[in-house]
Amino acid sequence: MTTATAVALPEVAPDRLESPGPFGVYVHVPFCFARCGYCDFNTYTPAELGGANPDAWVAALARELELAAARLGGPRADTVFVGGGTPSLLGAARLALVLDHVREHFGLADDAEVTTEANPESTSPEFFDTIRAAGYTRVSLGMQSVSPRVLATLDRIHSPGRPVAAAREARAAGFDHLNIDLIYGTPGETDDDLLRSVDAALEAGVDHVSAYSLIVESGTALARRVRRGELPAPDDDVLAHRYELVDTTLRAAGMDWYEVSNWSRPGAACRHNLGYWGGGRWWGAGPGAHSYDGALRYWNVKHPNAYAQILAAMTLPVAGFEELSESDRHTEDVMLRLRMREGLALAALDPGERERSGNAVGDGLLRIDGEHLVLTDRGRLLADAVVRSLLG
């Protein structure tokens, strides 16, 4: 067997250890029961791993968290987000153990937000009761659509009605904060399909919705079907129209956008994601997870077996790193903050960017709100292009 190797990270500068602002822990669960045709995430089915061993993964994760806390000086976690993959496949007891390891090595702030993603089919009332008792405060359910034909095109295996039932079970278990993920623009989807999906999310009583346009990622089964002509590629005009349908329906129901692809009721925005978008620090644990300490970005080896092998030697499973320059950080600041409802501070722009922002204001893509630039409704449809135009 090939020996897995890791890259040594530079020492952490003391000023980074004392950086103000929120600190988050992201945990990547690499397991999925089946691979969805549109997904290019770092996930593996049992067949691809020769049989998954979630207990060995949890043990390796505990070692990484121990090493991570030692490297960073053990800052308390303001937020924890368990994503994937399909975290709910671990079962409630292992998810509770994952949080125990985070609590042991980093500690949790008194008001910590603790989220796990879940596939509705691998949850139950008992599942939600157990993870709520363990300290989870928020659940994000993958619905994508309630249309059977859309789910079939996406290779989703849950039944159309299960996400709503799961959301109600989570609410009964005491979860005040629930998210549902939607995907719009799937080939064959109609306006009615999408509206029924949004209505179902609202009917489920969630306080947060994330809605993403379908992207045909290279190397996926969906990309191969599009290339062979079996399915049409998503149409940009249709995607824009569908986004407007989502936005109009959610806003009429009392949810407002706080990031281009995210809507919430007051006080229900995802604090973990706000940490990413606001330039906060986080440790990403698990195969392929990324971390950021304020200036240095690093990422883990991708394969679960290599990940476990490196950690068996009590070495961080880092595959590579980059030190972000001041220019890099500025680019990311513009890119991320402009996607948020609060917008981008005018003071953050250099003279050339300020001049170009005036052009975008004139074109109706941006508006000035006090000392900030904020995307207009039309600008949100073209957010990536607006960012590129500002950066020149």
Side-chain angles (χ1 to χ4, degrees), residues 256-281:
D256 214 343
W257 75 284
Y258 69 96
E259 192 274 343
V260 168
S261 298
N262 290 272
W263 292 256
S264 75
R265 300 196 185 281
C270 177
R271 288 166 46 202
H272 187 83
N273 286 342
L274 286 172
Y276 292 149
W277 301 326
R281 299 174 302 144

Side-chain angles (χ1 to χ4, degrees), residues 95-130:
L95 279 176
L97 186 57
V98 166
L99 186 55
D100 283 343
H101 289 316
V102 174
R103 190 182 283 114
E104 174 187 359
H105 296 298
F106 281 101
L108 295 177
D110 292 340
D111 64 343
E113 174 195 84
V114 183
T115 304
T116 185
E117 294 179 339
N119 185 320
E121 295 295 328
S122 52
T123 63
S124 66
E126 295 75 21
F127 171 89
F128 292 119
D129 286 339
T130 301

Side-chain angles (χ1 to χ4, degrees), residues 81 111-117 128 131-132 136-141 166-167 170-180 204-209 255 264-271:
F81 196 107
D111 64 343
E113 174 195 84
V114 183
T115 304
T116 185
E117 294 179 339
F128 292 119
I131 64 170
R132 183 69 189 95
Y136 285 82
T137 66
R138 188 173 180 276
V139 173
S140 181
L141 294 164
R171 183 74 71 193
F175 282 95
D176 294 326
H177 297 303
L178 296 171
N179 172 65
I180 273 182
V206 301
D207 59 0
H208 190 291
V209 172
M255 286 194 191
S264 75
R265 300 196 185 281
C270 177
R271 288 166 46 202

Side-chain angles (χ1 to χ4, degrees), residues 28-32 42-45 49 57 83-86 90 286-287 302 304:
H28 184 71
V29 180
F31 309 122
C32 280
N42 186 46
T43 60
Y44 303 84
T45 65
L49 291 175
W57 172 84
T86 310
L90 293 176
K302 286 190 170 184

